Every structure is written in structure tokens, then in C-alpha cells.
Amino acid sequence: MSDSDVRIVVCVSCRDAGEDNSRPGAAFLDALQARLRARSVDLRVESVECLAVCKRPATIALAAPGKWTYVIGDLSSATVDDVIDSALRFGESENGIVAWKDRPQCFRKGVVSRTPPLT
């Protein structure tokens, strides 16, 4: 499996609790795309309107064919490099399960759910 089989799905609809016009996911998406270009990393990034984790923006899902899917919340532009590293480790894993010791801090603390692969 190549890095391009890994999808980072970013929720762009949640609002910041303190500011109605602030969209943390949209800002995270912009920062993530810029950092992927700067690092020349080939990961697929998609935006979605809702991952139903509105109380923990910014939220992403890591997904790939035949692998468990993770939903991770409480992200910010400060965690962009860690998210990229998490996605790369996720892609390298056999089934999507990344060992705790190999997870960056935002991955350890931010997991909202883990869903088994679809068969």
C-alpha cells in the first residue's frame, strides 16, 4: 500500500465554541495541505461537511482500504506535522492499528473512535 492510499478526511463545518465565524477544521485543512506540499508527502486529503464530533474540532478521520479507520479530534495547526506522521504510520501498518508507542501525542490523546475495516 502506498501513502496515496491513505486518506485524511477533514471536517470543515464545526465552529469554534467562542467564535461563530471561526471554522477550525477549515483552517486545519489549509495548514495541512500547505505542509504536505512543503514536505512533498503524497497523502490524499478530503474535506467533509460533518464528522459529528462538533465538540472536538478540528477533527479528522484516517482511512485506507482494508484498514481500521480512526477518528481523531482536538487538532490544530500546531499538530499538522504530527497528523502527517500519524497518517504515514497508519499507512505503514498492516491493518491500520498503530502501536501506542508509535503514535504522536495528538493521536494518543485525540482518538474519538476506531472502526473496523469494511469487508
Side-chain angles (χ1 to χ4, degrees), residues 1 4 8-9 13-14 30 41 45 48 56 70 72 81 83 88 98:
M1 176 169 292
S4 62
I8 303 174
V9 181
S13 61
C14 292
D30 291 341
V41 176
V45 177
V48 293
R56 295 183 65 185
Y70 283 92
I72 303 168
D81 279 309
V83 166
L88 293 172
V98 179

Side-chain angles (χ1 to χ4, degrees), residues 1-8 42-45 62-65 67 87-88 90-92:
M1 176 169 292
S2 72
D3 293 343
S4 62
D5 291 332
V6 174
R7 291 175 33 217
I8 303 174
D42 184 26
L43 293 167
R44 290 177 40 202
V45 177
L62 295 178
K67 295 186 182 238
L88 293 172
F90 173 81
E92 292 166 354

Side-chain angles (χ1 to χ4, degrees), residues 10-12 23-38 45-47 58 60 76-77 80 84:
V10 181
C11 176
V12 295
R23 306 267 182 183
F28 181 84
L29 176 65
D30 291 341
L32 176 62
Q33 289 173 324
R35 195 67 184 128
L36 286 168
R37 284 189 300 274
V45 177
E46 302 171 18
S47 64
I60 66 162
S76 69
S77 58
V80 167
I84 293 169

Side-chain angles (χ1 to χ4, degrees), residues 102-113:
D102 295 330
R103 295 180 189 181
Q105 194 68 13
C106 69
F107 192 177
R108 289 181 184 181
K109 301 250 181 207
V111 172
V112 173
S113 69

